Amino acid sequence: MKNEFPIIETERLILRGVTIEDANDMFKYLSDKEVVKYMGLASCQTVRDVLDEINWYKTIRKDGTGIRWGVTLKGDGKIIGSCGFLNMVTKHHRAEVGFELNKDYWGKGIASEALEAVVKFGFHHYQLERIEALIEPANLPSQKLVEKQGFTREGLLRHYEYTCGKFDDLYMYSIIKGDLDLT
């Protein structure tokens, strides 16, 4: 069925749709200031804030402007992060990718595994030609992550976003379908 949420499976992960039943698991990391520090969001103060985030996931999918997968470890249905596309422009075959992960799982290659799977899915199933990642200059771990996945830093977008009461500079990274061997 076309409307069914696509599930992505990797060696260690299941990426799936998020439901309201996942709100408490998501609250654990979305309320952590270190996790959301570079996301352009204030940390969630209540589970209601998380429900707003889940609603946003549903809205971007319904509108065709994105899709966000919940990241789970195989054998454990608990959401430990998310990864997906936003600002998808089908006319131009491009989208922005975003991701976050519960701090307890940092440094284990989980974000890298999820990002690689989502990028490949975007090129195969959404016929994307270009995938972008916008990353704050101080967010060195995310820069290293996307570079490891083959993204190229294209330049600095000065005062590109206004979030949490400040203007943010963002590095523009991209990967083009032809940059990867998708066989």
Side-chain angles (χ1 to χ4, degrees), residues 144-158:
K144 288 178 184 173
L145 174 61
V146 298
E147 288 169 0
K148 179 182 173 191
Q149 293 297 324
F151 283 71
T152 300
R153 185 190 303 174
E154 296 181 334
L156 180 69
L157 303 170
R158 299 180 317 142

Side-chain angles (χ1 to χ4, degrees), residues 124-144:
H124 278 298
H125 297 281
Y126 288 114
Q127 305 305 312
L128 296 174
E129 177 63 21
R130 173 187 172 89
I131 298 173
E132 302 169 342
L134 298 172
I135 302 172
E136 288 187 34
N139 189 351
L140 297 177
S142 288
Q143 290 175 51
K144 288 178 184 173

Side-chain angles (χ1 to χ4, degrees), residues 24-107:
N24 287 326
D25 291 333
M26 293 173 68
F27 182 72
K28 288 176 186 155
Y29 63 86
L30 290 175
S31 63
D32 186 329
K33 287 183 171 129
E34 277 189 80
V35 171
V36 301
K37 183 176 184 177
Y38 299 115
M39 291 175 58
L41 302 172
S43 59
C44 291
Q45 302 301 304
T46 66
V47 174
R48 175 76 232 162
D49 296 338
V50 176
L51 294 175
D52 290 343
E53 184 75 1
I54 291 171
N55 189 52
W56 177 71
Y57 293 177
K58 290 178 182 178
T59 300
I60 62 172
R61 181 145 191 266
K62 184 176 146 246
D63 294 347
T65 61
I67 184 170
R68 197 77 170 201
W69 285 269
V71 176
T72 68
L73 295 173
K74 280 186 177 174
D76 180 2
K78 181 175 77 166
I79 297 289
I80 59 171
S82 81
C83 186
F85 299 114
L86 62 152
N87 299 325
M88 191 180 292
V89 184
T90 53
K91 174 183 174 183
H92 298 295
H93 301 271
R94 74 170 180 252
E96 181 183 336
V97 71
F99 47 86
E100 80 279 335
L101 189 63
N102 183 315
K103 193 168 51 184
D104 294 343
Y105 299 91
W106 288 3

Side-chain angles (χ1 to χ4, degrees), residues 18 32 130 174-175:
V18 172
D32 186 329
R130 173 187 172 89
S174 74
I175 190 165

Side-chain angles (χ1 to χ4, degrees), residues 2-13:
K2 187 174 173 32
N3 228 4
E4 213 171 283
F5 198 98
I7 294 173
I8 302 173
E9 187 173 339
T10 70
E11 184 180 332
R12 298 180 295 165
L13 308 174

